[in-house]
Amino acid sequence: MGSDAIWIVGSNMTKFGKHPDKDVIDLASEASRKALKDAEISLADVGVLGVGNLMNAGAGIGQQLQKQIGQTGIPVFNVSNACATGATALRVAVMAVKAGETDVGMAVGVEKLAGAGLLGQTGQKPKSETWEPNGRYGALSSTEGRIGTGIMPGVFAQIGMEYGHKYGGTSFELFARISEKNHAHSTLNPLAAYQKRFSLDEIMNDVMIAYPNTRPMCSGNCDGAAAMIVVSDEKMKSMPKAVQKRAVKISASVLTSDPWVDGCQILPDVNTLTRNAATQAYEQAGIGPEDLDLVELHDCFATAELVHYDNLMLCEEGGAVDFFESGAPWRDGAKPVNVSGGLQSKGHPIAATGIANIHEVVMHLRGEAGDRQIEGAKVGLAHVIGLGSACGIHILEKVA
Amino acid sequence: MSEEQKSEQEKSTGKVPFVDYLVLDKTPYLQAHECESCGSRYFDRRNACAKCFEDTFRQVPISREGEVTSFSIVQMGPIPYVSAVVDCEGTSVKCTLMNVEATPESVNLGMKVKLMTYSMGEDSEGTEAIAFGFEPSET
Ligand SMILES: [Zn+2]
């Protein structure tokens, strides 16, 4: 019986961290070839290629990758969607398979960032002799610092603080404890860029980047790649039994952008589009947050993780602080969140992130997550958000 | 404000605002483009309304008084500063808080603040640039 289900049959991520001896294409090649091998499939069978890379968005990384691992003439979609770039590349592959254009799609996300420093607004115009208005605000010089901040750590700090203003219960220490959890989780993940456990004191006394986020509470820039092979239901059923046994069903694949809400052009609203994506994803999958065995969410900063407990409806509206205080998001809690260590310790090679978080869920659902395995995991959710904004949510299920 | 009005203002006062939406009246204030059809407010140059897609706007003054709904103390540069979002009677404004220590003890969510302006200095032709911030309201 035919079904329009889409399956992940191959998945891989490189070690995240510093790869001084490898370029972007080396990393993308490694993840792609291992994902193909994982699926026991040849590149010749792949009918569409979605490739995400942010730092070289105009460079045709997809075609450069083909020139190293195999040129088959298939359509390549080079995508760039801020921190949701990887999820966007996967969406392209999923849409193409769903549309019946091909049976097999490959998605790759890759980034080299080690040593890039903190990312955000750049591009101050050279100082002119006289005051000249520039841009859509007619600003006489860079607005950064003069009119608040647009740099990520400050923006996401304000997003967490806004939640605190609305619902209460937040504090510097609370946000630091979220980070403490993720760093503790990372000790079990050999692919994480940082596997160091930090005490709460160490986190709170580290360098302050943008209050209330200290350095360990910010995602780490690093290098890495992740790749995934997706196939149609029909194709999956024609694959070797061993591949079928490890196949993971994509029960929901959703991408949203910001709907207009009051104030969203002042402080980015990462809440509404995440909540919208979650609502759509739960509906598509026909399951609810209560069914999730693990969640990988976009903790680009500790302050962001808190608001997404709420946005993904892991708790009641306004209940994110209580949810955290209950111990639920720890790996031995009721709703493990970021057992990979999250972006704060696993690292955040931007375009790879949106596939790597799905890879993490795949590993658990297959029962191949090693020391950090969440026992008996059957359903998982991966969430990513790119400021601007784009939100990708995938819900995966182990069905076979 | 139109370009002509703007250069008029510059000629008569020798002052220019840091951004278009700061109006340098005797009592300076911030001004928003308000969608005539749905009432949404914006501070940047608009092509259309992001909420209702219409493209006619009127200029409306924003309250000079507000309440801090979010903040961060940005410590990535040489001088820490407080970035904040202020709710000015229903309109959100992004700003830097002035005349307040950049420490968590000195800033509170819900804190009452008011608009202030300050000089950014003069250019080679003697034109003075005026920027805005918000500062704690005296009680
Ligand atoms: Zn409108």
Side-chain angles (χ1 to χ4, degrees):
Chain A
M1 194 168 65
S3 137
D4 60 0
I6 309 286
W7 300 83
I8 296 168
V9 291
S11 184
N12 185 263
M13 71 176 266
T14 66
K15 160 94 180 152
F16 280 8
K18 293 188 175 94
H19 291 284
D21 51 337
K22 293 187 176 122
D23 66 17
V24 166
I25 307 302
D26 290 325
L27 293 168
S29 298
E30 180 187 328
S32 303
R33 287 168 60 83
K34 285 182 175 166
L36 286 163
K37 199 169 171 214
D38 189 42
E40 296 182 29
I41 209 169
S42 156
L43 188 60
D45 297 324
V46 175
V48 66
L49 177 59
V51 176
N53 179 266
L54 200 64
M55 304 310 278
N56 312 277
I61 296 297
Q63 285 84 346
Q64 288 193 44
L65 172 65
Q66 286 182 303
K67 290 186 171 83
Q68 294 302 324
I69 68 168
Q71 294 174 247
T72 57
I74 59 168
V76 173
F77 295 82
N78 291 297
V79 301
S80 146
N81 220 353
C83 301
T85 295
T88 305
L90 182 63
R91 274 295 290 145
V92 167
V94 167
M95 284 192 294
V97 174
K98 211 162 208 162
E101 294 218 356
T102 177
D103 269 344
V104 183
M106 179 157 89
V108 186
V110 61
E111 209 79 67
K112 274 203 67 127
L113 277 177
L118 289 157
L119 303 170
Q121 281 186 352
T122 50
Q124 193 157 355
K125 291 206 72 166
K127 223 176 168 165
S128 73
E129 288 289 290
T130 56
W131 298 116
E132 296 293 343
N134 274 300
R136 286 192 172 249
Y137 296 101
L140 302 180
S141 66
S142 166
T143 57
E144 188 58 33
R146 189 71 76 177
I147 302 181
T149 186
I151 292 176
M152 302 295 161
V155 169
F156 278 98
Q158 290 179 83
I159 284 165
M161 295 294 276
E162 179 188 51
Y163 190 88
H165 180 59
K166 205 166 164 190
Y167 299 113
T170 61
S171 64
F172 175 28
E173 187 185 310
L174 174 92
F175 290 122
R177 283 168 53 213
I178 292 175
S179 189
E180 182 190 18
K181 166 183 75 75
N182 290 350
H183 286 291
H185 286 169
S186 77
T187 59
L188 298 173
N189 185 358
L191 296 181
Y194 306 99
Q195 283 188 266
K196 178 179 166 4
R197 183 163 192 161
F198 288 83
S199 71
L200 184 60
D201 269 359
E202 284 173 317
I203 292 169
M204 293 180 75
N205 292 316
D206 207 311
V207 176
M208 182 62 74
I209 303 294
Y211 179 89
N213 288 324
T214 62
R215 190 169 47 190
M217 297 163 74
C218 301
S219 51
N221 287 335
C222 66
D223 309 335
M228 212 154 263
I229 312 294
V230 294
V231 299
S232 67
D233 195 55
E234 209 183 327
K235 176 72 185 176
M236 195 274 286
K237 287 176 174 149
S238 77
M239 296 181 81
K241 280 280 170 283
V243 175
Q244 292 194 31
K245 249 185 89 183
R246 295 169 69 244
V248 168
K249 186 181 167 197
I250 301 182
S251 301
S253 174
V254 175
L255 190 69
T256 57
S257 66
D258 287 330
W260 193 91
V261 298
D262 217 5
C264 72
Q265 296 194 9
I266 300 300
L267 180 67
D269 170 25
V270 301
N271 304 318
T272 310
L273 86 164
T274 298
R275 193 166 275 272
N276 286 354
T279 303
Q280 285 177 41
Y282 291 134
E283 209 172 281
Q284 244 179 51
I287 63 155
E290 66 281 359
D291 301 316
L292 301 173
D293 296 314
L294 78 156
V295 172
E296 285 288 305
L297 64 75
H298 199 70
D299 65 320
C300 49
F301 298 91
T303 45
E305 176 156 329
L306 184 81
V307 305
H308 294 315
Y309 294 152
D310 197 324
N311 296 328
L312 297 174
M313 297 172 253
L314 307 182
C315 59
E316 281 174 23
E317 201 167 334
V321 173
D322 290 344
F323 175 76
F324 179 75
E325 295 288 4
S326 77
W330 281 82
R331 56 168 292 114
D332 56 357
K335 195 69 68 186
V337 174
N338 290 336
V339 296
S340 66
L343 310 189
Q344 291 163 58
S345 31
K346 185 177 69 178
H348 186 19
I350 301 179
T353 291
I355 295 180
N357 62 353
I358 299 167
H359 172 77
E360 177 70 14
V361 175
V362 167
M363 297 304 278
H364 287 273
L365 299 190
R366 284 173 166 179
E368 296 172 2
D371 290 343
R372 67 184 187 288
Q373 177 70 40
I374 297 297
E375 282 311 320
K378 292 270 184 292
V379 189
L381 180 150
H383 157 262
V384 70
I385 190 156
L387 207 59
S389 298
C391 175
I393 291 185
H394 287 82
I395 293 177
L396 310 182
E397 282 183 89
K398 188 76 189 92
V399 182
Chain B
M1 199 177 331
S2 72
E3 284 306 311
E4 299 83 68
Q5 283 173 312
K6 219 175 157 124
S7 60
E8 273 312 303
Q9 181 184 51
E10 186 177 334
K11 250 177 263 166
S12 62
T13 61
K15 294 182 200 300
V16 285
F18 176 58
V19 283
D20 286 342
Y21 60 93
L22 170 62
V23 180
L24 298 178
D25 265 11
K26 198 165 291 166
T27 306
Y29 62 94
L30 301 180
Q31 175 176 266
H33 310 298
E34 185 179 81
C35 174
E36 288 186 7
S37 136
C38 77
S40 300
R41 291 178 171 188
Y42 304 91
F43 291 106
D44 60 344
R45 180 168 63 77
R46 299 303 302 178
N47 297 93
C49 174
K51 184 182 187 186
C52 76
F53 330 136
E54 294 296 329
D55 62 359
T56 50
F57 296 89
R58 58 177 159 256
Q59 308 308 312
V60 292
I62 301 301
S63 169
R64 294 168 45 85
E65 314 265 322
E67 179 186 309
V68 173
T69 59
S70 182
F71 73 91
S72 173
I73 302 164
V74 182
Q75 309 205 3
M76 288 144 69
I79 305 160
Y81 64 90
V82 185
S83 170
V85 178
V86 175
D87 176 6
C88 295
E89 293 177 11
T91 304
S92 283
V93 175
K94 183 180 161 183
C95 68
T96 296
L97 290 189
M98 305 294 290
N99 299 326
V100 66
E101 245 187 281
T103 61
E105 295 74 34
S106 314
V107 190
N108 297 302
L109 292 168
M111 184 169 143
K112 305 281 184 230
V113 291
K114 63 178 199 292
L115 186 76
M116 56 79 75
T117 55
Y118 62 96
S119 175
M120 291 171 63
E122 293 182 357
D123 66 12
S124 58
E125 291 170 4
T127 304
E128 186 183 16
I130 305 293
F132 78 89
F134 279 75
E135 64 184 0
S137 303
E138 272 84 30
T139 43

